[in-house]
Amino acid sequence: MVNKRTKKAGITGKYGVRYGASLRKQVKKIEISQHARYTCSFCGKDSVKRVSTGIWRCSACKKVQAGGAYSLNTAQAAQVRSTIRRLREGTDV
């Protein structure tokens, strides 16, 4: 069994006591989201990983997508998609 080295710090344990608790908490949220695997919208597999800032690549189907800097989908992008969908439906009627 592997011993757990950090209780609360998690991925930000590398910063030790530096930078303050609230900043480390924010960085922890960002680092967890940027290292996570996301579901590919093309093949449906959980295999999308971050290549660099805003570039996300699916290791299964090799598709490359543009997204947010730290997560594949941003709140602003979801808002834009819903607005575009609403405007499209309005023109059909």
Side-chain angles (χ1 to χ4, degrees), residues 9-50:
I11 198 167
T12 54
K14 60 189 174 187
Y15 300 121
V17 297
R18 297 180 296 274
Y19 313 116
S22 59
L23 287 177
R24 286 196 312 269
K25 207 177 291 183
Q26 289 175 355
V27 169
K28 181 180 180 180
K29 182 182 162 200
I30 290 171
E31 287 192 8
I32 287 172
S33 68
Q34 84 178 25
H35 292 126
R37 289 183 178 268
Y38 290 89
T39 306
C40 180
S41 57
F42 297 100
C43 67
K45 293 182 180 173
D46 258 356
S47 55
V48 178
K49 287 199 75 171
R50 181 177 185 257

